[in-house]
Amino acid sequence: MARMNVARQWSEGHSTPILCVGAAPGPEGLLASGSEGGQLTVWSQEGTIVGRHQLPDEEDCTSIVFSSAASAQLYVSHGENVSVVDPRNLKSTVREFVGVGEEEINALGLNETGSVLAVADDSGAVRILDLPDGKVCRTLRRHTNICSSVAFRPQRPNNLLSAGLDMQVILWGLQKTRPLWTLSLQDIVEEEDSHQQQPGKLFNPPLAHCVTVSSCGNVVGCAAEDGRVHLMRIGSGSKLEQQGAFKAHSQGVSQAHFMNFFPHPYWLISGGNDGHIVLCDLSKHPVVAPEGTSKPQSSAVGDRRKKSKIKAKHKKQDKAEPSQEVEEGKKASEDGQAAEAGSLDTCAPKLRINHGEKVNWLCPALLKGEPSVVVADQSSHLAVYSLATQ
């Protein structure tokens, strides 16, 4: 059953709706939030405001990422630009990377060594910046719609996941500019529907909103508009071994994040347009533990995400994919029909919080030793929930 947790509120940091939140690594790490109109606020772990900064031209702050390699560097996207600020001294910007996005930037990803920054934008392109100079060293083009999320694989600084509103999840090897593999969530759902004829069924396409990778680097989660979190397991040679999904929400899922402060790397938290926040232990899901048993699972429907700016595209996706990629995707899709099973029992939520508002962003964080999640919704304040399951 959903529980109405009493949230702690962090207020007075913004006057506009908060769009993104980030947490610095470490037990005493700061947090930062960005909102419409370019307002950036840095918080202590207790929720005290450390400082505020106004981004140039009052452009919406769309993504925040702290550097794990340099505590004085916080990367913030706004418009087509990325600002680098010192979270403990917000009086001025350390550096500006101007025009690094072809269109409005939606997401930033920073590898563990702090040497490469990935920038995903509305054009569908992913630009790779060498740091610290911020020069664009390559541009990855395969998404045919908005690229909504990027995430580096832990322990593999040259492997990058991207996801977009073209319903594709792509793994890139940054030595080249073509994908290692591509998985179409649309193809998977259409194949499922062809086997489960349900006249009059309402269907929301699996637009991919947020991609996340477990700390071991081998399991990928993707929050989608069909109400599910889609899962992928990456095997040796960075091959796509298996895919599946579990129903997380009654409406579209906007956020999903693996957490690195729980006993094992397969705890995932998700938030959606249904106003719920769901904490799941995926260690027994067939994609994570392929020897596990399977039981049927139904598919889900979703609601629109606030920023589902579907853009008409005249070009079609390049069909000259490597044959290996096509075969791997086909095999993963077939395996996924089995892996889709079993998740009703194996992925039963350990905790379900009725937040009551659509979720813009979730930021898992260990706050003063307490497992927590910081939630941004349509309001100008943050809500903080304990993730204790007892």
Side-chain angles (χ1 to χ4, degrees):
M1 293 178 62
R3 90 184 193 196
M4 180 68 83
N5 280 22
V6 177
R8 305 194 303 274
Q9 284 198 357
W10 293 2
S11 304
E12 300 181 3
H14 297 269
S15 61
T16 56
I18 300 172
L19 302 177
C20 55
V21 188
E28 300 297 324
L30 298 172
L31 295 92
S33 55
S35 68
E36 293 179 0
Q39 298 176 359
L40 174 67
T41 301
V42 174
W43 309 81
S44 71
Q45 293 202 356
E46 295 86 2
T48 303
I49 296 173
V50 175
R52 297 187 185 92
H53 181 70
Q54 177 62 54
L55 296 168
D57 301 323
E58 298 187 356
E59 296 170 319
D60 292 352
C61 176
T62 54
S63 186
I64 289 173
V65 60
F66 282 87
S67 173
S68 58
S71 60
Q73 292 179 350
L74 171 65
Y75 296 86
V76 185
S77 61
H78 51 99
E80 300 172 2
N81 310 313
V82 175
S83 293
V84 187
V85 299
D86 182 343
R88 296 187 180 275
N89 181 12
L90 297 176
K91 293 182 180 179
S92 61
T93 301
V94 175
R95 192 156 188 180
E96 291 279 350
F97 302 144
V98 178
V100 292
E102 294 184 1
E103 296 183 19
E104 183 180 11
I105 297 169
N106 296 309
L108 300 175
L110 188 65
N111 69 356
E112 288 178 313
T113 63
S115 61
V116 176
L117 182 71
V119 175
D121 68 28
D122 278 1
S123 74
V126 179
R127 284 187 160 179
I128 305 301
L129 280 62
D130 278 334
L131 298 176
D133 58 13
K135 292 182 179 179
V136 177
C137 61
R138 60 181 59 83
T139 300
L140 311 177
R141 302 185 192 278
R142 190 55 59 94
H143 288 288
T144 58
N145 207 313
I146 291 169
C147 185
S148 51
S149 183
V150 285
F152 281 92
R153 287 181 70 193
Q155 306 175 43
R156 297 160 184 84
N158 288 315
N159 273 195
L160 176 74
L161 274 300
S162 66
L165 302 192
D166 57 358
M167 297 171 279
Q168 294 189 102
V169 179
I170 300 175
L171 176 65
W172 304 87
L174 296 188
Q175 295 88 346
K176 300 181 180 179
T177 56
R178 64 174 177 81
L180 298 175
W181 51 258
T182 298
L183 181 66
S184 170
L185 303 185
Q186 182 181 28
D187 289 349
I188 292 168
V189 171
E190 286 177 352
E191 188 168 353
E192 290 171 0
D193 288 348
S194 68
H195 289 90
Q196 302 175 9
Q197 296 297 330
Q198 299 181 27
K201 174 186 173 185
L202 294 176
F203 170 69
N204 277 6
L207 310 176
H209 293 314
C210 180
V211 66
T212 179
V213 190
S214 63
S215 59
C216 67
N218 295 329
V219 179
V220 178
C222 182
E225 189 66 21
D226 61 356
R228 292 186 287 184
V229 175
H230 293 260
L231 299 174
M232 290 133 267
R233 187 175 73 247
I234 303 174
S236 61
S238 297
K239 294 181 179 179
L240 175 60
E241 280 192 346
Q242 194 169 1
Q243 68 81 24
F246 69 96
K247 182 179 179 180
H249 296 266
S250 62
Q251 298 180 19
V253 189
S254 57
Q255 288 277 290
H257 298 278
F258 283 106
M259 294 175 292
N260 60 9
F261 48 76
F262 271 28
H264 61 71
Y266 305 120
W267 285 88
L268 181 139
I269 193 164
S270 61
N273 293 341
D274 59 0
H276 284 194
I277 298 162
V278 177
L279 177 66
C280 289
D281 177 357
L282 302 182
S283 59
K284 295 181 181 179
H285 189 282
V287 169
V288 177
E291 299 302 317
T293 57
S294 296
K295 294 183 182 179
Q297 152 147 9
S298 61
S299 56
V301 296
D303 189 16
R304 284 186 66 211
R305 184 188 182 204
K306 177 182 178 183
K307 192 174 180 176
S308 292
K309 302 178 290 183
I310 304 297
K311 296 188 174 182
K313 297 286 182 177
H314 297 289
K315 63 177 183 178
K316 294 185 178 180
Q317 182 183 2
D318 182 4
K319 297 187 180 296
E321 300 281 353
S323 58
Q324 179 182 357
E325 177 183 330
V326 175
E327 289 302 315
E328 287 176 6
K330 181 179 179 182
K331 181 180 184 300
S333 180
E334 292 169 351
D335 291 344
Q337 293 180 33
E340 176 86 22
S343 53
L344 281 179
D345 290 339
T346 60
C347 293
K350 301 298 183 182
L351 181 66
R352 180 182 291 272
I353 300 169
N354 184 2
H355 178 64
E357 299 288 340
K358 291 183 179 182
V359 172
N360 277 347
W361 206 280
L362 294 180
C363 179
L366 201 58
L367 301 179
K368 293 300 179 183
E370 182 181 17
S372 306
V373 63
V374 183
V375 183
D377 52 31
Q378 309 296 308
S379 72
S380 59
H381 63 262
L382 295 170
V384 181
Y385 293 97
S386 169
L387 295 180
T389 57
Q390 298 293 329

